[in-house]
Amino acid sequence: MKLLAHTLCLCLAFALSWAQDKHAHAVLDRCEGIEMDAVAVNEEGIPYFFKGDHLFKGFHGKAELSNESFAELDDHHHLGHVEDAFRMHYEDDPTHHDRMFFFLDHMVFSYYQHKLEDGYPKNISEVFPGIPDHLDAAVECPKPECDEDSVIFFKGDEIYHYTVKTKAVDEKEFKSMPNCTSAFRFMEHYYCFHGHRFSKFEPKTGEVHDKHQREARDYFMRCSKFSEESDHLERERCSRVHLDAITSDDAGNMYAFRGHHFIRKDEGSDELKADTIESAFKELHSEVDAVFSYQDHLYMIKDDQIFVYKVGEPHTHLEGYPKPVEEELGMKGPIDAAFACKDTVHIIKDQNMYDVDMKASPRVAGNQQPVSLFKKVDSAMCSPTGIKVIIGNHWYHFESPMVLAAARALPEQHRVSLELFGCDH
């Protein structure tokens, strides 16, 4: 009898645990408008969004347990979840340079290359004297964006500017900004999150650029469905989510693809248009890996398949497609990026670039060259002035594919949302 009761208890405990885990995973859908506890950028510039004991990496993808990336966070069960986080990138402070800091209750954890540093966790007051416990948000602020390399801490209505070098604490009052549930520095701009909405603010004064709070899912997440008040064009041109593909057709019209949507900019016009991929390319539905234009056709690659459309109003899907990428271009999909310069298509996959002569039959991907400058290329396109290579939220100009392959130093960095799409925030 005792054995039966023990077995029943174990089964009940397992069922409850399973139900709780299932519920937790069901709730943790960033596209449902959940409030993040903390946001920080890692060493590679990838944003990490923390919620409870889970972590979202990048702008899309499912949640994973935080302790899978930062194991020691789970060793202190008396502490709560990550309340705020930031990455300190101040070369004048070698002790803390390039560290990620996580705050839980009264403790702070310091990680270097995803490893907890010796002696941590420590009391917040020991590492950041004058800063209180149980913080709401924190964000790094390098000079000259702040007068000195600093960290801005938020707790209710109280704002603390902590100078890294002198450890001085200056209490500020940001009258125009609502209380932050998390804060984030991205592309040299500062964002205060209020639940799943955010405001952009000036770190020195707290001045809010736009009194209207914006929807975080429109700019920092890739979601297929949005609120009714969302402006598709505004969202797509100002989104911080990287582009999946970009190209320009023979007439010079530009197409940029991200998730379920694409932006079009016609040659000779400053007007942008945004629409769903399915509305113009219904056979694709959404999310492409790469797109290039050749002889008035758009070649659109998704996984290991290639779709071809004749450019027009509307675009015409060619009969017989999709076909395997290997059959059409001589190499297996998926691929990272593709761009056509005259009769040659250049394919980038796994830090290598291959050339495909579109006039050859059969077509073969050859002339393999390493592209060691970037770990991963998101998209690229060829234009009369050279190659635009897009990595995350930035693009880089190269005079030719040969220069791209030979490059060992980054050229000038340009912003996608600002310089390609004219977004000012």
Side-chain angles (χ1 to χ4, degrees), residues 196-265:
H196 60 87
R197 305 188 75 83
F198 72 91
S199 302
K200 182 182 174 186
F201 70 96
E202 290 291 339
K204 291 183 181 180
T205 64
E207 179 185 357
V208 176
H209 288 240
D210 189 343
K211 301 302 179 185
H212 174 67
Q213 295 181 13
R214 299 182 183 275
E215 169 63 67
R217 289 171 292 180
D218 284 352
Y219 299 92
F220 295 103
M221 301 170 195
R222 191 165 78 181
C223 302
S224 59
K225 297 179 181 178
F226 298 87
S227 57
E228 293 182 1
E229 64 268 22
S230 293
D231 183 327
H232 287 332
L233 177 57
E234 175 73 0
R235 179 188 68 243
E236 290 305 318
R237 76 187 188 98
C238 297
S239 175
R240 295 347 184 213
V241 181
H242 70 79
L243 294 175
D244 296 324
I246 190 169
T247 191
S248 60
D249 61 25
D250 293 349
N253 306 317
M254 183 180 71
Y255 303 80
F257 299 84
R258 179 191 290 115
H260 295 257
H261 293 76
F262 75 98
I263 296 175
R264 175 172 170 168
K265 182 178 182 296

Side-chain angles (χ1 to χ4, degrees), residues 18 22 31 41 73-74 77 80 84 142 176 220 255 265 284 292 316 326 336 358 363-364 394 409 418 425:
W18 178 83
K22 183 178 180 182
C31 292
V41 176
L73 291 177
D74 202 37
H77 298 286
D84 43 271
S176 64
F220 295 103
Y255 303 80
K265 182 178 182 296
L284 274 168
F292 66 89
T316 305
E326 186 173 18
D336 297 326
M358 293 296 287
R363 294 170 182 157
V364 177
H394 297 96
L418 176 67
H425 63 83

Side-chain angles (χ1 to χ4, degrees), residues 93-104:
D93 181 29
T95 304
H96 297 141
H97 175 62
D98 222 11
R99 268 63 173 178
M100 291 190 73
F101 287 93
F102 302 115
F103 297 80
L104 287 74

Side-chain angles (χ1 to χ4, degrees), residues 41 116 233 286 301 352 369 410:
V41 176
L116 185 68
L233 177 57
S286 66
I301 299 168
N352 287 293
Q369 301 177 78
L410 282 176

Side-chain angles (χ1 to χ4, degrees), residues 281 295-298 308-318:
F281 309 98
Q295 291 188 344
D296 213 26
H297 288 77
L298 293 175
V308 181
Y309 290 83
K310 181 173 177 57
V311 174
E313 295 291 346
H315 302 298
T316 305
H317 183 240
L318 295 195

